[in-house]
C-alpha cells in the first residue's frame, strides 16, 4: 500500500513539475518578443514565481522517485535510461534558471524562435520517460 501511495504522489509532483517546465519557456518566447518595459516586468515576475514554484515542486518529485527506486528495489535497464533522462530534465530546469537570469539582466541574445524550439524539449523528455516507465523496453 505504501508503494502505491508513494507512486501516486510521485506522479502528481512530476506532473506539476513538468507543467512548470512546459510554461516557463513559453514565457521566454513572450519575453524575447516583448518591447514594452511594463509588460517585460510583468512577464519577468511571472517567470520568477513559476521558476521558484517549479524548483520547489521538483524536490519532492525527485525524492519520491529516489525512494521508489531504493526503498522498493526497482531495477532494470529501462531505469538507468530513465534516471539519465531525469538528470537531463534537472539540467534543463537549471538552464531555464540561467536563461531567466539573462532576461533579468537584459542580456538575452536568442530569438523567440529559438525559445519555441527550446520549449519542446520537456515534451520529448516526458514522452521518453513515460514510455520507459510504462513499456520497460529493456
Amino acid at each position: 500500500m505504501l508503494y502505491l501511495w508513494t507512486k501516486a504522489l510521485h506522479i502528481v509532483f512530476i506532473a506539476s513539475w513538468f507543467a512548470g517546465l512546459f510554461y516557463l519557456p513559453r514565457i521566454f518566447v513572450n519575453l524575447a518578443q516583448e518591447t514594452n518595459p511594463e509588460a517585460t516586468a510583468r512577464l519577468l515576475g511571472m517567470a520568477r514565481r513559476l521558476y521558484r514554484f517549479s524548483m520547489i515542486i521538483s524536490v519532492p518529485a525527485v525524492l519520491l522517485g529516489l525512494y521508489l527506486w531504493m526503498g522498493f528495489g526497482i531495477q532494470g535497464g529501462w531505469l538507468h535510461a530513465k534516471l539519465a533522462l531525469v538528470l537531463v530534465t534537472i539540467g534543463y530546469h537549471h538552464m531555464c534558471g540561467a536563461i531567466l537570469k539573462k532576461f533579468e539582466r537584459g542580456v538575452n541574445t536568442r530569438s523567440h524562435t529559438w525559445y519555441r524550439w527550446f520549449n519542446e524539449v520537456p515534451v520529448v523528455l516526458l514522452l521518453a520517460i513515460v514510455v520507459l516507465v510504462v513499456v520497460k523496453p529493456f
Side-chain angles (χ1 to χ4, degrees):
M1 189 66 145
L2 177 61
Y3 172 75
L4 294 176
W5 279 102
T6 304
K7 189 159 78 167
L9 287 173
H10 178 61
I11 291 168
V12 168
F13 281 111
I14 290 296
S16 299
W17 181 23
F18 269 89
L21 291 178
F22 291 153
Y23 192 57
L24 186 58
R26 182 64 200 154
I27 295 174
F28 295 159
V29 170
N30 294 330
L31 279 166
Q33 292 178 305
E34 192 55 64
T35 57
N36 180 337
E38 293 166 0
T40 298
R42 185 180 69 251
L43 288 167
L44 282 172
M46 289 170 58
R48 272 187 223 106
R49 287 186 297 275
L50 182 58
Y51 180 73
R52 196 172 322 124
F53 168 78
S54 296
M55 189 59 78
I56 290 167
I57 212 79
S58 70
V59 173
V62 170
L63 291 177
L64 286 166
L66 288 171
Y67 182 68
L68 284 168
W69 172 32
M70 299 184 150
F72 295 100
I74 299 171
Q75 55 186 324
W78 65 271
L79 181 63
H80 295 107
K82 179 208 174 207
L83 292 173
L85 291 176
V86 169
L87 289 176
V88 171
T89 303
I90 292 169
Y92 179 87
H93 193 163
H94 284 282
M95 189 173 175
C96 285
I99 290 169
L100 177 56
K101 287 179 185 175
K102 285 184 179 182
F103 274 114
E104 289 173 331
R105 291 192 318 264
V107 294
N108 173 54
T109 57
R110 296 195 167 111
S111 71
H112 66 92
T113 305
W114 189 89
Y115 290 110
R116 287 180 196 280
W117 284 104
F118 182 72
N119 190 35
E120 301 305 322
V121 172
V123 175
V124 173
L125 287 169
L126 184 60
L127 175 66
I129 289 169
V130 168
V131 167
L132 285 168
V133 170
V134 174
V135 178
K136 295 177 178 55
F138 46 89

